Amino acid sequence: MDLTIYLSFIGVSLLLIIAPGPDNIFVMAQSISYGKKEGIATACGLCSGVTIHTLAASIGLSAILYKSDVAFSILKYLGAFYLLYLAYQAFRSSSEVGSFTKPKKQTLPALYRRGFLMNVLNPKVSLFFLAFLPQFIDKNGISVPLQMIILGLTFMVLTLLIFSIIAIFAGSLGEKLLQNAKSSRIINLAQGTIFTGIGLKLFFMNK
C-alpha cells in the first residue's frame, strides 16, 4: 500500500470521526447516563459493527445492498425501530420514580450489543464504506479486498480511540450531573430525544 495514500486516509478518517454525528452523540449519551466504562463498551460495540461493514464492502455484499431496494429498506426499518425502542425505554425510565436519582444501570455486554446493533442495522454505514474505502485503494498494491480490510480496520481503531476519549469526558460530566435528581430525569429525557431523532432520521432516509 502507498504510504502517502494511507496517511491521507488516516487524516480524512479522523476528520469524519470527530465531526458531530449519530454515533459519537450516541456514545456521549450512553457515557453521561451510565458512566465511562459503559460508554467505552458502547464504543466497542459500534466499532465491532465497522468490521462487519468493512467485510461486506470488501466481498461485495454492500454493492448488493446498494442495488436492492428491498434489502436496504428491511435493514433501514429494523435499525429505525430498534432506536425507537431504545427511545421508549429512556422515556419510560424518566417517568419512573427510581430514575429521579439515577438511570437504571446497564451491563457492559448489554451496552456493547446496543452499540453493535445500532451500527450494523444502519445501511448507510455499509454504503459509506462502499463509497469511501475505494478512494484510497492503490491499484498497483496488494489485493483490493485486503487493502479494504486494512483500511476498514484502521478506521475502526481510530474510531475506538476517539470514541473512548469522548466516553471518558462525557462519563466524568455524567458523574457530576447524576448527583442531582432533577438532572438525572433530564438526562433520560435527552437520551430518549436523541434516540428518537436518530431513529426517525434513519426511518425516512433514502439511498
Side-chain angles (χ1 to χ4, degrees), residues 16-66:
L16 290 171
I17 296 166
I18 294 171
D23 285 353
N24 46 28
I25 292 175
F26 185 74
V27 171
M28 186 180 300
Q30 299 300 279
S31 303
I32 290 175
S33 296
Y34 306 116
K36 300 172 188 176
K37 290 189 298 183
E38 288 76 5
I40 293 174
T42 303
C44 287
L46 288 165
C47 292
S48 296
V50 169
T51 62
I52 303 298
H53 293 298
T54 298
L55 289 173
S58 64
I59 64 178
L61 289 179
S62 295
I64 296 174
L65 180 64
Y66 177 75

Side-chain angles (χ1 to χ4, degrees), residues 37-38 41-42 106-113:
K37 290 189 298 183
E38 288 76 5
T42 303
Q106 298 288 328
T107 65
L108 298 183
L111 290 168
Y112 174 88
R113 288 194 300 270

Side-chain angles (χ1 to χ4, degrees), residues 68-135:
S68 173
D69 290 336
V70 174
F72 181 87
S73 296
I74 289 174
L75 196 59
K76 178 183 75 170
Y77 291 133
L78 284 174
F81 284 125
Y82 178 68
L83 285 165
L84 292 175
Y85 168 71
L86 294 181
Y88 164 74
Q89 285 189 318
F91 285 131
R92 187 179 64 178
S93 294
S94 71
S95 65
E96 293 175 355
V97 176
S99 69
F100 289 2
T101 55
K102 192 173 183 179
K104 289 182 178 178
K105 198 70 174 176
Q106 298 288 328
T107 65
L108 298 183
L111 290 168
Y112 174 88
R113 288 194 300 270
R114 183 175 289 188
F116 179 78
L117 288 173
M118 177 183 169
N119 190 276
V120 170
L121 294 177
N122 187 346
K124 273 294 186 182
V125 180
S126 283
L127 301 187
F128 165 76
F129 277 96
L130 182 63
F132 180 60
L133 297 183
Q135 298 180 50

Side-chain angles (χ1 to χ4, degrees), residues 94 99-100 180-193:
S94 71
S99 69
F100 289 2
N180 183 288
K182 185 177 180 181
S183 296
S184 176
R185 184 168 185 266
I186 292 174
I187 288 172
N188 270 320
L189 290 172
Q191 188 173 221
T193 302

